[in-house]
Amino acid sequence: MAKANKLFHLLLRFLAFGSTLCAAIVMATSHEKATVLNISFEAKYSNTPSFKFFFIGNAIGCIYSLLVLFIRSSGHSFGRVILALDMIVTMLLTSCVSAALAIAYVGKKGNSHAGWLPICGQVTEFCDHVTGALIAGFIGVIIYLLLLLSHSINPLLVSKA
């Protein structure tokens, strides 16, 4: 039972690493140049603070996942510290996905009350990259939530045995 639990945690850590790495890379490579009414502009993630926050948050989540994989494999048991850090990383990823999703929605639909026009009609490749990064980031949040749930279920399984 303990071996299966360790393998499950290891699998979730690898998935968390992969999804946060993918989200960070896809967001970092999102850029496109467009011309509208003889006005040229470039859409890239670094133009928007929310997208920068998304990139940095997923990079932190990726590095943390990789570090925890090495700590766990070396035999150290910092269960409570890892649980607390998992909670912090989950909150970080949730907030950065939420912030980026809000800006992506404005880019897709615009905001008629503020007079902001949607830009995804002009820079579709950029918007597709952002959408892919948001999907990968949301998957990372779900995986971290599963890790937190598995931390909370694990003591229950040990006490019944």
Side-chain angles (χ1 to χ4, degrees), residues 8-147:
F8 181 67
H9 273 267
L10 186 66
L11 175 67
L12 285 178
R13 292 281 173 199
F14 273 123
L15 290 174
F17 170 73
S19 64
T20 54
L21 178 67
C22 180
I25 289 173
V26 171
M27 184 58 82
T29 60
S30 63
H31 58 85
E32 184 177 0
K33 291 183 181 180
T35 304
V36 178
L37 300 173
N38 286 338
I39 298 172
S40 181
F41 68 96
E42 183 176 13
K44 53 185 173 178
Y45 89 98
S46 60
N47 292 341
T48 309
S50 294
F51 290 162
K52 286 184 201 175
F53 176 49
F54 178 84
F55 170 74
I56 292 168
N58 277 286
I60 289 170
C62 176
I63 292 167
Y64 169 73
S65 294
L66 191 62
L67 289 175
V68 171
L69 279 170
F70 286 123
I71 289 172
R72 288 282 181 156
S73 64
S74 68
H76 297 292
S77 63
F78 300 111
R80 290 180 192 245
V81 173
I82 290 175
L83 174 62
L85 290 174
D86 281 350
M87 180 74 74
I88 291 169
V89 170
T90 303
M91 290 187 296
L92 173 70
L93 291 176
T94 302
S95 64
C96 71
V97 167
S98 299
L101 189 59
I103 294 301
Y105 182 81
V106 171
K108 179 82 172 162
K109 302 287 184 180
N111 186 334
S112 60
H113 301 292
W116 297 336
L117 299 173
I119 65 161
C120 283
Q122 288 78 30
V123 285
T124 55
E125 184 181 320
F126 171 74
C127 288
D128 290 344
H129 267 80
V130 169
T131 301
L134 286 171
I135 290 169
F138 192 69
I139 290 170
V141 168
I142 291 171
I143 292 169
Y144 268 100
L145 286 172
L146 289 173
L147 275 167

